[in-house]
């Protein structure tokens, strides 16, 4: 029970300190930003649709406003359209995160034919106070 109480105190401290907005350097910005990005390759003759072997595309995703910090960004696949005649092979990665946005990288390989890829993303402010609070038990 003591361990659970310590964990709850730590979690409540974390969430209380990361409320709807954060002030940094006289700037107020949201702590969390979210969005979606999708790319259609159907009938474009793009290498994702008609190619073979290793293929990659990198796209820039911009935030609505420049932030006062470099966020941590996570992407999650939320849509995929591909040929039924080959295995589905796809990786999705985040690269080059800055205050203004980030790059999302799609990779496929072998005989996979990709017609559409869609991802959801979330960008969060890194919690600077984590080293000041010991939540171990």
């Amino acid at each position: 029970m003591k361990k659970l109480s310590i964990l709850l105190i730590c979690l409540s401290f974390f969430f209380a300190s990361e409320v709807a907005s954060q002030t940094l350097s006289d700037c107020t910005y949201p702590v969390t930003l979210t969005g979606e990005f999708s790319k259609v390759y159907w009938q474009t003759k793009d290498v994702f649709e008609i190619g073979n072997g290793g293929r990659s595309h990198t796209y820039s995703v911009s935030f609505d406003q420049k932030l006062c910090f470099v966020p941590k960004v996570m992407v999650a696949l939320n849509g995929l359209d591909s040929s039924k005649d080959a295995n589905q092979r796809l990786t999705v990665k985040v690269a080059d995160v800055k205050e203004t946005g980030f790059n999302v990288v799609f990779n496929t390989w072998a005989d996979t034919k990709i017609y559409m890829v869609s991802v959801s993303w979330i960008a969060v402010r890194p919690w600077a106070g984590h080293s000041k609070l010991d939540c171990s038990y």
Side-chain angles (χ1 to χ4, degrees):
M1 188 67 175
K2 183 178 178 183
K3 290 180 182 180
L4 180 59
S5 297
I6 292 170
L7 179 62
L8 291 175
I9 290 168
C10 290
L11 286 174
S12 64
F13 179 82
F14 172 76
F15 287 114
S17 66
E18 295 294 317
V19 290
S21 65
Q22 196 77 18
T23 301
L24 294 171
S25 305
D26 298 325
C27 300
T28 302
Y29 289 97
V31 172
T32 304
L33 302 171
T34 61
E36 293 186 2
F37 177 83
S38 63
K39 184 65 180 173
V40 176
Y41 302 104
W42 175 249
Q43 296 183 339
T44 63
K45 305 229 184 285
D46 184 87
V47 294
F48 267 32
E49 179 188 17
I50 62 172
N52 280 305
R55 292 156 283 155
S56 180
H57 283 304
T58 301
Y59 300 101
S60 293
V61 177
S62 297
F63 301 135
D64 289 339
Q65 57 193 355
K66 183 178 179 181
L67 303 176
C68 293
F69 54 87
V70 177
K72 298 291 185 183
V73 177
M74 185 193 86
V75 293
L77 185 66
N78 70 13
L80 175 65
D81 186 11
S82 63
S83 173
K84 65 177 177 47
D85 298 327
N87 289 329
Q88 295 179 348
R89 302 172 186 93
L90 179 71
T91 63
V92 180
K93 297 179 182 178
V94 172
D96 302 322
V97 180
K98 297 182 172 76
E99 296 92 344
T100 55
F102 63 95
N103 289 337
V104 61
V105 182
F106 300 146
N107 294 295
T108 190
W109 58 96
D111 60 346
T112 298
K113 307 294 187 226
I114 303 289
Y115 303 134
M116 185 276 302
V117 179
S118 179
V119 296
S120 295
W121 58 264
I122 183 168
V124 298
R125 180 183 182 272
W127 184 37
H130 66 12
S131 61
K132 298 177 183 174
L133 182 64
D134 181 11
C135 290
S136 60
Y137 48 91

